[in-house]
């Protein structure tokens, strides 16, 4: 518990627009420990990307605190902010869009090194090539431009760029959702390998339950801005406690096993109003209040 | 199955005229669809799934042309069919559902007109009756308060609801054949399940369905037959259950092995190396040989034809017998 | 697929993107946006020919003193109002016996100077203000909006006329007048481009990387707006040349005796019935220049058109 690299305490984010206020993230508590991969799963619009942006400090929180390595982010200013930037990096869903189109692959990867004046230009080029090799791209790709790569290769470049500063935290927002399944498998294998080799700490976001289960040590399930259940991946997927988690699992169509019938009476987010998170197992919490008794599931 | 064949596609070929010359986007696509049968066309992006389907309805861009093959629907060849005749079939006897409902709907027209116009146009029923049918169809796809919603514009609906409205639109006229091009790719899993249940009901009424998807879970849940495409060609075709049980073609095996299910935490992913093939640079011989672990320099450089591997199943790989 | 469909974070899990560029097969060559644009541009023969013609004319204008047979105000009293083909005066002479070919070459120089000068000055201001307005909003945006409103209320042309009236008729003043009259549209274009590009994911990625705002605006966003700006400039230069010609017709162009295409046309109009060649040469030259720029602009626009992935 003490080794939390990132900790969100009662974090909310409200967007006010013409159509009124949208609570994208609602009172979220979340912790990412060093060396651990936390998976965040939920349907689109549930607030996953917003959590990622709040963790990265790309948007200010509306309420609550985000702490990075024990230090509240709101108090990080000036020089400190620059050093925080080096410690957390992010990869995005759309790899082509997130790369600089007018920079070569190597220049894209070297750019964070240049920005933070880590090494000089020549050393940056050398380092960029090493990183490209680390993510499995051939040396000749260094001088090519992003549009000359396939989607999977572009995502590899984005990963190399995110790793350039040797960040302590890597936030991945749907990194494989725009990719073909064969390429998704490649990228996941790459991330698994990097996780082992470099001891990365990751916040891994996906709407795909199987993908999250594959990569994450701990999983949090989000719906309408709230976390409804969180716990060790094994426990959560084998013994889901919240009706929404079960519903989500039932909706997934497996290739190998048999599909589960959908629950008769679908759960609605309103059902959770006023319901508290409770401990349902070691490190496993669900928003099922005190009223509901633990019971055997599935 | 052969008795009730609705559509029989044989050796379909489609080419695009591009800046870099002719590109064979679809190069030999064959399958058939019977009444009440759902055929899954699966494969990675760029493998020619959409182009193959759109060519059936003459919905290709101007730079494309069908250069070979036939598609017999109800005794008539859809290939080369005059536009007038095609219009009588399109939307009436063959419906189409797209990945993005916005593609099928005009943004400035209410649902009512979108849904009734073609009913009236095809002379299926009167205006009043069409409205009633449309409302019923919306209700059937699970859109609450259809009387009110039918007056809305597409952008006033959520993505999932729009997708359902489009299905209502395609099915209200009760087509014989429905082509669904990634109908659930852009929606969440729960909505996906609802949409598939809707299409299942349609199928049970005897509609033949071509389901284009890159999601093997969807294909397996919904379809009876699998058609696996790679680089514009069919590499494997056969009953879905057998295909999932033991795919014959190395690419199909790789695809299945790459697919991640819930519960796969400890399964080692099998990874197909390399990137999906660009049809503009398709290698000679077996198109998969640049990524295939079993490729040899001799036989794989020769074109592979679809050979029977077991009754009702074909695969385009000389090694596929070893695996079945 | 579209690349500018961001802002909506409620993005759906994307489909495999079929507009993906091809895998790098074999030994692909590095292809920057300029190389790509150039490859496409070269295929457009009309645009390529226009580029060659303009380049030739620009060279001629630059070395005018070296190749013009006479000075632009050098009179030949023996041969006033000479027809084309007169010995020593290939295109003839004007009322004062000044060699029309020489004047044409010099006026090309003036017109290019005005066209390029005004557009480049406008571009510079437009980039700074447009980028700031698009990226930061705030004061730059308020200024741009206010000026835009004024400009919309005032016809641009009228504005230029007023400016010349105030600033005088030296080449510099005319350039300034036209630049002031035309920077606003360019700034609005820059702002619009910036706003669109800011929706692209690479901006958020850059922020996550820790890039400061100025770096993002200048180093990441601006280079991607180069295509549209280049197109705007290539349509803006002939517009500026036309504007100078228009001012000249009102007697507000570059101060004689410095010749400009507009000034020569104005001179020619007075004698159009008796000595049409005084009008024909500058008019034809103006038409050639304008047409070439238009074709060039079309070519550049098509070359940079990256909205649809071309294969
Ligand atoms: N910048 C923003 N302005 C307004 N609303 C936003 C913004 N970002 C996110 N939202 C809203 O917040 C909710 C959660 O969005 P998001 O975090 O992107 O979800 P997810 O990543 O799980 O799909 C959505 O309803 C979305 O419309
Ligand atoms: N408008 C087009 N112009 C040129 N080529 C195209 C066009 N549309 C598709 N193609 C080619 O056809 C191939 C198959 O495309 P498509 O059928 O859309 O693939 P899928 O639906 O399997 O993802 C693509 O790889 C591409 O090369
Ligand atoms: S023919 Fe050869 S390369 Fe092609 S799939 Fe079979 S073994 Fe692999
Ligand atoms: Mg998201
Ligand atoms: Mg498709």
């Amino acid at each position: 518990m003490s080794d939390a690299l990132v900790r969100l305490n009662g974090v909310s984010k409200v967007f006010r627009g013409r159509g009124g206020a949208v609570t994208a993230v609602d009172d979220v508590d979340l912790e990412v420990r060093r060396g651990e991969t936390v998976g965040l799963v939920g349907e689109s619009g549930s607030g996953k990307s917003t959590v990622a942006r709040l963790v990265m400090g790309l948007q200010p929180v509306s309420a609550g605190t985000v702490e990075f390595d024990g230090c509240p982010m709101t108090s990080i200013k000036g020089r400190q902010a620059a050093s925080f930037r080096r410690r957390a990096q992010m990869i995005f869903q759309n790899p082509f869009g997130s790369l600089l189109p007018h920079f070569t692959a190597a220049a894209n990867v070297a750019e964070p090194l240049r920005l933070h004046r880590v090494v000089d230009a020549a050393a940056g080029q050398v380092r960029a090539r090493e990183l490209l090799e680390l993510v499995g791209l051939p040396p000749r790709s260094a001088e090519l431009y992003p549009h000359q790569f396939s989607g999977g290769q572009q995502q590899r470049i984005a990963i190399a760029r995110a790793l350039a500063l040797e960040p302590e935290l890597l936030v991945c927002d749907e990194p494989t959702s725009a990719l073909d399944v064969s390429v998704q498998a490649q990228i996941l294998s790459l991330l698994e390998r990097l996780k082992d080799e470099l001891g990365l700490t990751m916040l891994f976001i996906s709407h795909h339950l199987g993908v999250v289960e594959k990569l994450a040590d701990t999983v949090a399930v989000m719906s309408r801005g709230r976390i409804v259940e969180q716990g060790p991946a094994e426990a959560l997927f084998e013994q889901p406690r919240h009706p929404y988690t079960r519903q989500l699992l039932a909706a997934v169509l497996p290739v190998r096993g048999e599909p589960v019938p959908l629950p008769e009476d679908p759960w609605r987010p309103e059902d959770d109003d006023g319901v508290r998170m409770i401990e349902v197992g070691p490190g496993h919490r669900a928003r099922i209040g005190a009223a509901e008794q633990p019971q055997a599931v599935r | 199955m052969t008795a009730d064949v609705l559509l029989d596609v044989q050796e379909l070929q489609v080419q695009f005229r591009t800046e870099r010359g002719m590109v064979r986007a679809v190069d030999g696509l064959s399958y058939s669809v019977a009444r009440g049968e759902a055929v899954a066309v699966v494969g990675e992006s760029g493998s020619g799934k959409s182009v193959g389907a759109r060519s059936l309805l003459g919905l290709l861009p101007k730079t494309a042309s069908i250069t070979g093959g036939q598609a017999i629907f109800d005794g008539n060849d859809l290939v080369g069919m005059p536009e007038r005749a095609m219009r009588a079939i399109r939307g009436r006897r063959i419906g189409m559902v797209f990945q993005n409902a916005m593609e099928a709907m005009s943004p400035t027209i209410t649902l009512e007109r979108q849904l009734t116009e073609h009913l009236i146009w095809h002379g299926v029923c009167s205006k009043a009756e069409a409205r009633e049918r449309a409302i019923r169809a919306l209700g059937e796809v699970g859109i609450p308060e259809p009387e009110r919603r039918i007056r809305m514009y597409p952008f006033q609906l959520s993505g999932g609801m729009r997708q359902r409205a489009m299905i209502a639109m395609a099915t209200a006229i009760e087509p014989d054949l429905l082509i669904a091009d990634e109908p659930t790719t852009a929606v969440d899993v729960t909505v996906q399940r609802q949409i598939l249940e809707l299409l299942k009901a349609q199928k049970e009424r005897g509609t033949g369905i071509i389901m284009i998807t890159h999601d093997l879970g969807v294909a397996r849940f919904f379809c009876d037959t699998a058609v696996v495409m790679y680089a514009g060609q069919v590499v494997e075709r056969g009953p879905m259950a057998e295909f999932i049980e033991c795919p014959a073609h190395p690419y199909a095996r790789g695809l299945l092995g790459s697919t991640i299910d819930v519960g796969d935490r400890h399964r080692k992913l099998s990874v197909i190396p390399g990137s999906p093939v660009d049809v503009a640079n398709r290698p000679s011989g077996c198109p998969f040989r640049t990524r295939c672990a079993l490729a040899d320099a001799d036989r794989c450089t020769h074109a592979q034809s679809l050979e029977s591997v077991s009754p009702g199943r074909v695969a385009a790989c000389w090694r596929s017998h070893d695996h079945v | 697929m579209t690349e500018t469909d961001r802002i909506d974070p409620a993005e759906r899990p994307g489909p495999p993107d079929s507009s993906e560029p091809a895998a790098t097969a074999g030994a692909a060559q590095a292809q920057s946006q300029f190389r790509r644009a150039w490859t496409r541009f070269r295929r457009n023969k009309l645009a390529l020919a226009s580029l060659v013609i303009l380049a030739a004319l620009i060279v001629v204008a630059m070395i005018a003193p070296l190749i013009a047979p006479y000075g632009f105000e050098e009179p030949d009293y023996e041969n006033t109002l000479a027809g084309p083909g007169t010995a020593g005066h290939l295109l003839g002479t004007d009322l004062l016996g000044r060699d029309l070919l020489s004047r044409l070459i010099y006026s090309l120089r003036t017109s290019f100077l005005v066209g390029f000068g005004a557009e480049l000055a406008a571009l510079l201001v437009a980039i700074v203000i447009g980028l700031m307005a698009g990226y930061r909003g705030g004061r730059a945006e308020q200024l741009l909006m206010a000026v835009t409103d004024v400009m919309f209320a005032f016809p641009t042309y009228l504005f230029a006329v007023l400016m010349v009236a105030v600033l005088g008729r030296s080449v510099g003043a005319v350039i300034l007048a036209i630049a002031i009259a035309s920077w606003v549209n360019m700034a609005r274009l820059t702002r619009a481009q910036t706003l669109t590009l800011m929706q692209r994911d690479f901006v958020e990625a850059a922020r996550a990387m820790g890039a400061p705002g100025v770096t993002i605006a200048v180093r990441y966003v601006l280079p991607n707006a180069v295509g549209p700006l280049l197109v705007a400039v290539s349509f803006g230069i002939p517009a500026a040349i036309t504007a100078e010609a228009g001012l000249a017709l009102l007697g507000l162009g570059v101060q004689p005796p410095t010749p400009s295409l507009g000034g020569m046309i104005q001179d020619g109009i007075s004698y159009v019935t008796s000595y049409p060649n005084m009008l024909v040469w500058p008019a034809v030259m103006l038409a050639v220049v304008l047409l070439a720029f238009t074709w060039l602009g079309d070519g550049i626009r098509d070359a940079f058109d990256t909205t649809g992935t071309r294969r």
Side-chain angles (χ1 to χ4, degrees), chain B residues 128-145:
Chain B
E129 203 181 322
R131 189 184 144 82
E132 224 155 80
R133 257 171 102 152
I135 291 177
R136 188 151 24 94
L138 284 179
E140 274 169 17
V141 297
I143 291 184
E145 303 177 73

Side-chain angles (χ1 to χ4, degrees), chain A residues 23 64 113 149 159 212 233:
Chain A
T23 306
L113 298 170
F149 293 91
I159 293 172
V212 169

Side-chain angles (χ1 to χ4, degrees), chain B residues 52-301:
Chain B
R54 277 159 190 261
S55 62
L56 298 178
L57 289 177
L59 293 176
L60 293 174
K62 281 202 193 69
T63 52
S65 53
I66 301 181
T67 50
Q70 56 177 29
I72 308 294
F73 176 74
D74 197 18
N76 299 312
D77 194 350
L78 296 175
V79 173
M81 182 176 276
E83 179 63 19
R84 265 179 64 94
M86 184 62 94
R87 245 182 279 154
I89 288 182
R90 200 191 291 146
R92 172 71 194 90
R93 305 213 42 211
I94 305 182
M96 181 122 190
V97 175
F98 298 90
Q99 174 177 330
N100 182 353
M102 278 311 205
E103 200 181 334
M105 297 185 170
S106 322
T108 53
I109 296 180
T110 59
L111 283 192
E112 170 158 5
R113 265 187 68 195
Q114 318 242 19
L115 275 130
T116 56
E117 217 158 46
H118 67 301
L119 288 174
I120 300 164
W121 191 82
H122 283 295
V124 177
C125 53
S126 71
K127 194 164 173 201
E129 203 181 322
R131 189 184 144 82
E132 224 155 80
R133 257 171 102 152
I135 291 177
R136 188 151 24 94
L138 284 179
E140 274 169 17
V141 297
I143 291 184
E145 303 177 73
E147 295 85 358
R148 189 169 70 82
R149 290 231 158 70
I150 199 166
R151 289 198 299 270
M152 290 187 166
Y153 292 91
F155 67 86
Q156 293 173 301
L157 302 175
S158 72
M161 218 178 277
R162 234 178 358 237
Q163 207 66 11
R164 277 181 270 178
M166 176 173 52
I167 290 174
M169 204 166 123
T171 54
I173 205 164
E174 287 166 8
D176 300 306
L177 181 68
L178 190 66
I179 303 176
D181 190 352
E182 311 256 8
T184 61
T185 299
V187 300
D188 283 319
V189 275
T190 37
V191 178
Q192 160 168 297
R193 191 68 175 267
Q194 293 160 358
I195 288 173
L196 291 179
E197 301 287 355
L198 288 174
L199 290 174
K200 223 169 196 172
Q202 195 65 35
K203 179 182 148 189
E204 269 147 27
R205 268 180 248 159
T207 304
I209 295 182
I210 300 172
M211 168 73 78
I212 294 163
T213 178
H214 68 278
D215 185 334
L216 290 179
V218 169
R220 149 148 202 231
F221 176 76
F222 188 76
C223 300
D224 313 294
T225 308
V227 176
V228 185
M229 287 187 79
Y230 186 79
Q233 301 178 351
V234 174
V235 295
E236 178 162 354
R237 192 179 62 222
M240 182 64 69
E242 288 170 44
F243 163 68
I244 295 287
E245 182 70 23
C246 72
H249 193 278
Y251 171 67
R253 270 204 304 286
L255 202 58
L256 211 62
S258 301
T259 305
I260 298 168
D261 278 337
V262 174
D264 275 358
R265 191 168 176 74
H266 299 293
R267 183 176 70 89
K268 189 157 164 25
L269 285 180
S270 68
V271 170
I272 309 177
S275 310
V277 149
D278 174 12
V279 286
N281 302 309
R282 187 190 291 119
S284 63
C286 172
F288 188 54
R289 74 188 163 87
T290 48
R291 301 170 76 189
C292 181
L294 303 176
D296 72 12
D298 186 23
R299 293 186 67 169
C300 300
T301 50

